[in-house]
Amino acid sequence: MALTTYVEAIRQGIWEEMERDERVFILGEDVGIYGGAFKVTEGMLERFGEMRVIDTPISESAIVGAAIGAALMGMRPIAEMQFIDFISCAFDQITNFAAKNRYRWGAGVPIVIRGPSGGGVHGGPYHSQNPEMYFVHTPGLKVVAPATAYDAKGLIKAAIRDEDPVIYLEHKYLYRRIKEELPKDDYIVPIGRAAVRREGKDLAILTYGAMLYQALEAADVLAREAGLQTEVVDLRSLLPLDKDAILSAAKKTGKVLVVHEDTRTGGIAGEIAAIINEEVFEYLDGPVLRVTAPDTPVPYSPPLEEFFLPNKEKILKAARQLAAY
Amino acid sequence: MSAVLRRSRKSPAKDGPAARRDIPPGMRPPPLEPMRNPGLSRARLLDMHRFLRLNRVLEDQLSALYRQGKIVGGLYSSLGQESISVGTACALEPGDLLAPMIRNIGSLLVRGVPPLSLFLQFLARHAAPTAGKDGTLHFDDPGRSIIGPISVLGTLIPVMTGAALAARMRGESRVALTYIGDGGTSTGDFHEGLNLAAVLGLPLVLVVENNGYAYSTPVDRQFAVDSLAERGPAYGIASESVDGTDVLAVYAATQRAAARGRGGGGPTLLECRAFRRRGHAEHDDMWYVPRDIVAAWEQRDPIDRFESFLVEQGHATKGDLRSVEENLAAELDETARQALGSPYPPPEETLRGVYAGGD
């Protein structure tokens, strides 16, 4: 059976939604004839025409603003950010217009804003960022970050069908490194639902995006060297968070480690630790620990970036510390 | 707000920018041209007059409520600019898309938004279009093809570009019109939105209300061109500058722009020159504005001008026009009373409606 890469899964998901619903269209920089900087929209111009695959000027705010206007008219736009780092240029349209519209006067803004996020490819400070928490802090938005090809496809389809604005973060490190066999039939992955990737009773690692694979490798080592059974939970959705999944992992293991590639202060780990504290404190056998990037921009040079990014070794160190409680 | 009031009392005009001698030439009223009927029937002319008057009477009443402490938050006057809201909105087809900015209550009235809804918005009541979650003109009305603004300036320009794009994708011949002030033309979204509309050839009509000041900042601190219409050629689009106190000139220019857009001629940048004769909002006594400039623009009051025109052309008598005003004032008195009797939202309304399905 053919294996589908993570990036191809995103492309398939968008393609199928454009076939299914003529209200769906895509706009962004170089999405047309070039097929997108990472080829997510390859072939779409030929198939769907320039009315539905729209090359725009380098104007992220106008790309999102126009998507909002079209969504208010009943369309289902997908706005591509060539790199998610540039989403900052559209911050106002996203946080002030798209996010607040339904609350203010009842009209939802069903748009998807998607683009490549994350480090590990030596992209430096402006091609490696993880901007999720700017948006997780904005009521009215949804934020998802798939780690598998299956989820990449299922979540983009769910995002397109969602009635509210969704920020869809594609980890560029995973684009062509991750592949799997996908179902032929139409499916979605519901937004707001985490997935348990490995069952375990001794400790739980909660993570998302590219860090899932570091966590799974660490869990293998913990099983081999110490016989520890580690539960690994892929959050998949950061807003809304799957509180039930978080709380059940905490209750089951009593020891929770949160891992994210995003920087430390104000990262989702802090929020998760607070939820666990408030709701299941009596189940805990140790503190909720974090493994995250340090509070710096993403550096460029390989040894610096390697130092910056969380990895299996850093996870193991924290996991051993937690296991000792 | 109190800091602003204190400063305004203490600042003598001779020390402040009000003493500036170099009034930018663009801030003086343009040469007075006689008003010309662009072919409107008497009924349409009188309709337009009624909307102008309704705009002013409604704002007078809101201002009175503000002074009584009943308005929640700020109140922004369009005194002397009513002609821009009314002239532009009257020139559109009913299906055309319109997005007002803060001084375009008149545009909403032309579109048929009931004055009661507007009172309720400013009074933050539960029955208001936003149920008390937002105020002022910040609401949409899909049935009237109205898209609502947010406080951030310029954002509506890309949004209305997208609305026009969606209409074109569906094969609908709908023009999208929105407004921006002189100050708002300095934002990034002004450039991004107008340029995107130009590149895609969309029927966007962007009305610039050049009213001399953005809060306390005069136009010569906002841009270095004489007329904002000069920016049209830079975007490769049509542009025009009209006397914004002449409701018929505004109407005719909007009609030209809308026809151009409908015919595939792309966006138009339409500068309407007028003056903000009150402060940025009601709390602001605009001590920083030279009084002689205000006086010069008071002589160009758009409603006085239009009423003189109507009388001179034999469309109405002074008595007719006065009774329009009196009737509107009586009607709105009653509407205001009704709005004041309407309850505030229950506190738990706070949690509703952030997401679809959230009540």
Side-chain angles (χ1 to χ4, degrees), chain A residues 302-314:
Chain A
L304 301 183
E305 191 181 24
E306 199 178 320
F307 180 86
F308 173 88
L309 290 173
N311 57 28
K312 181 181 74 179
E313 294 307 323
K314 295 174 190 174

Side-chain angles (χ1 to χ4, degrees), chain A residues 38 83 85 116-118 121 127-128 170-175 177:
Chain A
F38 288 91
F83 281 84
D85 309 64
S117 68
V121 298
H127 292 77
S128 309
E170 311 165 3
H171 204 297
K172 69 173 84 65
Y173 185 84
L174 305 179
Y175 268 157
R177 286 180 175 86

Side-chain angles (χ1 to χ4, degrees), chain B residues 217-253:
Chain B
T217 305
V219 288
D220 61 339
R221 284 299 184 96
Q222 207 66 245
F223 43 79
V225 288
D226 291 330
S227 161
L228 286 161
E230 290 173 35
R231 291 192 179 167
Y235 289 98
I237 63 172
S239 65
E240 189 173 352
S241 185
V242 297
D243 180 348
T245 68
D246 179 345
V247 68
L248 297 177
V250 171
Y251 176 93

Side-chain angles (χ1 to χ4, degrees), chain B residues 134-176:
Chain B
D134 199 351
T136 67
L137 313 185
H138 286 196
F139 61 95
D140 89 320
D141 191 332
R144 297 185 169 96
S145 299
I146 294 166
I147 288 178
I150 68 171
S151 296
V152 184
L153 302 178
T155 48
L156 274 174
I157 302 169
V159 169
M160 292 305 278
T161 296
L165 174 68
R168 182 167 76 184
M169 290 169 82
R170 293 205 297 241
E172 300 165 356
S173 174
R174 297 167 91 176
V175 168

Side-chain angles (χ1 to χ4, degrees), chain A residues 19 21 45 63 95 113 125 162 206 231:
Chain A
E19 293 281 6
D21 183 349
L45 179 68
I63 291 167
T95 60
I113 302 163
D162 203 275
L206 312 186
E231 176 126 328

